[in-house]
Amino acid sequence: MRWEKIDKNDYLLAFLVWFATFTVYFLTLGVSIGFEDFAEFQTAAYVLGVPHAPGYPLIVLWGKLFTFLPFGSIAYRVNLSNAVISSAACSFLFIMLRKFTFQKVLSLSLAIAFGLTTTYWSQSVMVEVYTMAVLFFLIMFYYVQNWKSTEQLKDIYLFAFFSGLGVTAHYTNALNFIVLLFYLLYKDRFTKIPFKNWCIAAIFFFCGLLPFIYLPIASSFNPIINVGETSNLTNFINHLMRKHFDTLEFATKVTYYDKLMFVKYLMMQLWSEFYIGVAFALVGLLYLWKKDKEFFLISLFLFFVNSFIILFTLQYPAKPKYVFNIRVYYFCAFAIFTIWIAFFINFLYEKIQTNTHTKISKNLRRGILSLLYLLVLVYPLFLLAINYNTNDRSKYYVAYNYAKDILSSLEKNAILFTSITTEIEFPIAYLVGIEKYRPDITVYSQTGMIFENIYRTTTENSDNEIQEAIKRVEWALIRKGERPIYYDDSTAELPPGYKVLLYGLVYKVVPQDNPSLPDLNIWENFTLPNKEISSNTQNYDFLTKNVLCRYLSYRGYSYQLNKMIEEAIQNYSKAIEVMPNNDLPYLNLCSIHFDLGNYSVGEETCKIALELNPERAEIYQNLSQFSMIKGNLEEADNWVNKGLKIDPKLSVFYRTKGFIHYYKGQPFEAKVNFEKYLNLSPNPEPEIVKILKELKQ
């Protein structure tokens, strides 16, 4: 495999690649914060915080430099830092393609095209770690390939150093380091390098890991983003080992069906990223098999490591959220894919140009080459045209307005408890920690990852210990009654005598006997423009659609509780239009149809919700109610049993099960289930208490 020196003009062209991609990113750059990790890194960069494991110190420190720019919001400046990195990765890909002696136009076009693939582009206009991971992967690959050509020790040292930095950029580069090290040592190359030089290389590698020292230093200052509290050695090691993510990524054992579905989604993503380039890449891989089997094997293995091996290692169920999350892990594989495309097109070009022994005329050969050049030049323009609107974040304020609406709706001196089950923790942290919006409000995260950790929990605590700490602290504050208290979802476990009342986009803690209905005036004061919901939402990403769906569902539920059914149905219908695969609006529509007596329609709507989310226990409860109305007690009992497997603490299941046995004439079983209902429900229905009293007599 040829790997040759490049001239100064190639470095100018590399800058041209950087400038072209950066211009596109700059024009579509996120002007404000995003949801989840976007807002986390935007905030952490400014406050020099510690993001989620393993900490990603490079992206934080690099982003911090850009916060000193004199223009734009803090979020915009940090986004800009990532655009610079993303474009640099494209430039380095160009240099690698030229080192493989590919045509300049081909290398230029494919490097730009890689930067304009839809997912890579989406991660370049908002700050994230994945494009930086690609940059260091390409640098690592470059120096290994360079050493194979020159056998200069400096390439070994630089490979080791940038491998260490690559691991600090993203932990998946540890896998790439192992694969590339094996490639480096293949065919007894280990003996070519003296042991002393291997020791020096190891020192360079550990020097590359030094940015991790930032984590305990930053944590000791207790910034608003202080995930893992890494100021002590145990927490620091746990953070580096991503112990916090054990239950999210590795503990749950998913089925082979889930894995096969992820493979299907990967294939679909490859097509949506590269289109006709998929066919070119596969032919290019076959060409590599004949041309250089060693490079064929290493490139194929790198592709598999950064796609299928990651896919099969992470224990994610095949749900839309996880499909959306995992799609960004494939960037290094996509860089390899781009190299395969280049091999095919370069082979085709050389074959047509040099094959003069066929009956093809010189003019026809020129025409075919011109068409090939045209295809190469049009390819990035095609990607630019079809992906521009999808990735244009230059007017994106949904996350900012959503978080601001929540904070502005809270009463003076309120306390807000947030959890990881929603996407709003980090956007709120940005407004509270950077913009100092609503300083009278205190926000606590149940994860202990951001704001003040009043629960004093760490990664060493078990789930039960964490839940007990949360209950102890929050119940004490609720019972004091000194400040209004809110939650960002309705699943909070409250002390007896209290309930949550929907209050715009959050839930307010109120006494159980509080007769109030949701205040509809709250929605009139929100800054989230209706045009962001009523306009075409197809260009929004999964997280944004999911949040807008929740916004509409909450607004619809507010209308529903106020008996404004027509308005409620309109909001639920719009929520389904925005996010057809979200079960929440279907679940709420189901309850409306139940109340209206449209039982068959309600049951079908509920089954749609079940298909979308078979893990939501409330759906089984609703289905059991429809079965009871039909008089099918066995079917109702079956639905309840399925729901209990998901949430055995949901009190209404035992209420329903009690009635099933009561109607069957089984007083003992009815009594047992009604008692379980009373034990789990702090505010039981008087009717159940009366029936249970009769059964005991």
Side-chain angles (χ1 to χ4, degrees), residues 137-186:
F137 164 71
L138 291 172
I139 294 174
M140 292 157 61
F141 199 2
Y142 173 89
Y143 282 112
V144 169
Q145 200 66 34
N146 218 43
W147 183 85
K148 282 168 55 62
S149 175
T150 65
E151 295 191 356
Q152 294 183 2
L153 285 172
K154 69 173 185 177
D155 292 320
I156 298 292
Y157 301 152
L158 289 170
F159 162 69
F161 177 70
F162 283 108
S163 294
L165 284 179
V167 172
T168 67
H170 198 268
Y171 63 95
T172 53
N173 271 330
L175 294 174
N176 292 324
F177 169 68
I178 294 171
V179 175
L180 290 170
L181 186 63
F182 174 79
Y183 180 46
L184 190 71
L185 303 179
Y186 185 61

Side-chain angles (χ1 to χ4, degrees), residues 468-479:
E468 285 301 316
I470 290 174
K471 183 191 294 187
R472 181 178 64 255
V473 171
E474 294 179 2
W475 284 24
L477 289 172
I478 291 171
R479 284 168 170 157

Side-chain angles (χ1 to χ4, degrees), residues 209-237:
L209 296 175
L210 286 178
F212 277 131
I213 295 177
Y214 159 84
L215 301 179
I217 297 173
S219 180
S220 66
F221 289 95
N222 196 30
I224 191 171
I225 303 286
N226 190 16
V227 182
E229 296 184 338
T230 55
S231 55
N232 67 69
L233 182 60
T234 300
N235 289 352
F236 175 60
I237 294 173

Side-chain angles (χ1 to χ4, degrees), residues 315-501:
Q315 298 297 309
Y316 286 142
K319 294 181 179 180
K321 178 179 180 179
Y322 298 113
V323 173
F324 176 79
N325 287 346
I326 205 173
R327 82 200 194 289
V328 293
Y329 280 75
Y330 305 140
F331 287 163
C332 294
F334 291 168
I336 296 294
F337 208 72
T338 305
I339 293 173
W340 291 346
I341 296 173
F343 270 107
F344 167 70
I345 297 178
N346 198 68
F347 159 75
L348 197 61
Y349 175 84
E350 291 181 349
K351 193 75 173 176
I352 296 171
Q353 188 180 47
T354 59
N355 193 350
T356 58
H357 302 293
T358 63
K359 295 181 181 180
I360 300 176
S361 67
K362 187 175 182 180
N363 288 335
L364 181 57
R365 199 159 47 244
R366 284 179 178 174
I368 295 173
L369 287 173
S370 298
L371 285 174
L372 187 60
Y373 265 113
L374 183 62
L375 175 64
V376 167
L377 290 171
V378 167
Y379 188 46
L381 295 176
F382 167 73
L383 294 176
L384 174 67
I386 64 172
N387 293 332
Y388 192 95
N389 289 334
T390 302
N391 293 300
D392 185 6
R393 293 278 189 139
S394 61
K395 298 178 182 179
Y396 179 86
Y397 288 97
V398 176
Y400 183 89
N401 287 335
Y402 192 87
K404 192 170 185 179
D405 283 345
I406 289 176
L407 293 175
S408 64
S409 68
L410 304 183
E411 296 171 86
K412 188 176 181 180
N413 297 321
I415 295 175
L416 173 64
F417 292 110
T418 67
S419 69
I420 203 169
T421 57
T422 64
E423 297 87 356
I424 67 167
E425 277 195 328
F426 294 120
I428 286 178
Y430 179 90
L431 267 73
V432 172
I434 295 179
E435 297 198 350
K436 308 301 180 184
Y437 185 70
R438 290 299 304 269
D440 60 301
I441 291 174
T442 305
V443 185
Y444 297 118
S445 168
Q446 292 180 337
T447 63
M449 295 194 301
I450 54 179
F451 312 111
E452 180 187 355
N453 184 4
I454 59 170
Y455 311 104
R456 299 294 179 260
T457 54
T458 70
T459 53
E460 291 295 303
N461 295 115
S462 66
D463 289 342
N464 288 336
E465 289 173 336
I466 292 173
Q467 291 305 314
E468 285 301 316
I470 290 174
K471 183 191 294 187
R472 181 178 64 255
V473 171
E474 294 179 2
W475 284 24
L477 289 172
I478 291 171
R479 284 168 170 157
K480 274 186 178 181
E482 295 176 352
R483 302 173 67 181
I485 293 180
Y486 298 83
Y487 285 89
D488 65 349
D489 66 24
S490 61
T491 61
E493 187 175 355
L494 303 178
Y498 293 90
K499 67 178 182 179
V500 289
L501 173 69

Side-chain angles (χ1 to χ4, degrees), residues 52-104:
H52 65 275
Y56 307 105
L58 272 189
I59 198 77
V60 173
L61 293 171
W62 176 250
K64 179 62 178 179
L65 295 177
F66 283 75
T67 63
F68 296 108
L69 292 174
F71 56 86
S73 66
I74 295 298
Y76 178 86
R77 300 175 206 175
V78 181
N79 290 341
L80 189 64
S81 73
N82 201 48
V84 172
I85 288 292
S86 300
S87 297
C90 296
S91 294
F92 217 87
L93 179 60
F94 167 82
I95 291 173
M96 287 196 68
L97 294 175
R98 286 295 295 135
K99 293 282 282 186
F100 282 122
T101 70
F102 296 141
Q103 296 289 325
K104 290 183 178 181

